[in-house]
Amino acid sequence: REAGFTARALERGDGVGGTWYWNRYPGARVDIESMEYSYQFSEELQQEWRWTERFAAQPELLKYANHVADRFDLRENIQLETEVTSAHYDEGAKHWVVTTAGGEQFVGRFLISATGCLSSTNSPDIPGLDDFAGPVLHTGQWPHEPVDFSGKKVGVIGTGSSAVQSIPVIAQTAGDLTV
């Protein structure tokens, strides 16, 4: 804004936070020191925010993202619940055209694609999954409300970072846990 630019951020979710909005599974946290997640463009921001843990959990990271959005009055430039379906560069006009699932088009001189590697889930094609009677959860699409695993038989498919973080937490209450 100070340099005279305008910007529009398009976000598929109904809240800010990116990865930390979507990844709310039990045990979700950073795998590098919290300080590394701090925005460094503002010394005042760096001095006013106090991380409570060296490796912050998802709720604190989401709180930080919301603090930044509020602190710098960014919400007016963020359009939530908006899925980008295409972006192409128009050579003749020398600008980008971004189209959303709702049919809106945005035109801009610059495009910063911040989709990241966690912008869509990778659900494995497991024969019979559609016939499974129990709930099927994915760490990248975790429900906003808590999930009660008390006494339940739980199976975790995969041993990536999300599984490594969630398994110990789920194991605290699950009746049986198979990885």
Side-chain angles (χ1 to χ4, degrees):
R1 291 179 192 149
E2 291 171 4
F5 290 96
T6 59
R8 171 68 73 195
L10 305 176
E11 168 57 50
R12 185 169 39 116
D14 63 4
V16 299
T19 295
W20 302 111
Y21 170 85
W22 295 105
N23 288 345
R24 52 184 69 233
Y25 57 86
R29 65 177 52 248
V30 295
D31 54 2
I32 62 172
E33 292 196 39
S34 304
M35 220 31 197
E36 296 297 323
Y37 271 90
S38 297
Y39 292 111
Q40 298 178 10
F41 63 85
S42 166
E43 184 61 29
E44 293 82 20
L45 174 64
Q46 294 231 47
Q47 296 306 314
E48 72 189 23
W49 186 264
R50 296 286 178 251
W51 293 102
T52 63
E53 294 183 85
R54 190 171 169 196
F55 296 89
Q58 181 271 346
E60 185 171 9
L61 292 155
L62 188 58
K63 186 177 177 182
Y64 177 73
N66 278 282
H67 171 76
V68 171
D70 293 335
R71 167 81 165 71
F72 294 98
D73 196 26
L74 301 176
R75 292 186 192 276
E76 69 184 62
N77 300 99
I78 301 170
Q79 185 168 319
L80 302 173
E81 299 182 89
T82 304
E83 182 177 355
V84 172
T85 54
S86 70
H88 74 273
Y89 187 71
D90 182 328
E91 288 284 346
K94 303 263 190 258
H95 64 227
W96 285 92
V97 179
V98 176
T99 305
T100 70
E104 288 180 279
Q105 287 198 327
F106 296 87
V107 176
R109 202 166 114 205
F110 304 102
L111 171 69
I112 299 171
S113 176
T115 55
C117 63
L118 302 173
S119 63
S120 61
T121 56
N122 179 12
S123 296
D125 184 15
I126 300 172
L129 186 60
D130 292 338
D131 301 324
F132 181 68
V136 176
L137 302 170
H138 192 292
T139 54
Q141 294 178 324
W142 204 262
H144 290 250
E145 59 280 345
V147 177
D148 183 11
F149 292 106
S150 298
K152 296 192 173 134
K153 289 180 111 177
V154 179
V156 175
I157 298 172
T159 55
S161 59
S162 299
V164 168
Q165 291 175 342
S166 62
I167 289 168
V169 178
I170 294 170
Q172 291 174 359
T173 58
D176 185 48
L177 177 62
T178 302
V179 178

